[in-house]
Amino acid sequence: DKRAAFLVGVLTKRLLDKQLATRNSAPFRSKLYGLKLDEGRLRKIFSEAIEKLAEYNVSYPELQSLTSKALIEAENEGWNLSKDELSYYFALGLNLGGMFK
């Protein structure tokens, strides 16, 4: 679940960077619930980010695959993170996402 939240953050960072480069703004940031997340919101952010990246004709197959696997594992094992912890790991991914190529 930590990995899932982190990787969704990394993927979201990629989308925000693409929006900033293309539009000079990052409108997707408004869909992040002020970084107050739970499992449902995290899943929604993931699916919306994938959809929005497709609109920009961009995909990150390896990252998307790793994130999907991590989300499935978290679902199967049960989410063990509090909302604050989930938000924390997502924010870490969001802030460190630029380090991963």
Side-chain angles (χ1 to χ4, degrees), residues 39-98:
E39 296 89 0
R41 288 178 172 181
L42 188 73
R43 285 190 295 267
K44 186 171 183 174
I45 289 169
F46 174 67
S47 61
E48 289 180 353
I50 297 288
E51 179 183 340
K52 194 55 81 172
L53 283 166
E55 289 177 17
Y56 287 99
N57 294 318
V58 175
S59 70
Y60 300 98
E62 188 174 343
L63 176 58
Q64 290 171 217
S65 177
L66 286 172
T67 306
S68 297
K69 288 176 186 176
L71 285 165
I72 289 170
E73 288 174 9
E75 292 289 326
N76 288 341
E77 295 173 13
W79 289 89
N80 296 313
L81 294 177
S82 69
K83 291 178 182 180
D84 287 339
E85 290 172 318
L86 194 142
S87 297
Y88 169 72
Y89 286 104
F90 175 83
L92 283 177
L94 193 61
N95 288 313
L96 297 174

Side-chain angles (χ1 to χ4, degrees), residues 26-34 37 41 44-45 48 52:
F28 193 77
R29 187 169 291 280
S30 67
K31 296 187 179 225
L32 302 182
Y33 304 98
L37 305 177
R41 288 178 172 181
K44 186 171 183 174
I45 289 169
E48 289 180 353
K52 194 55 81 172

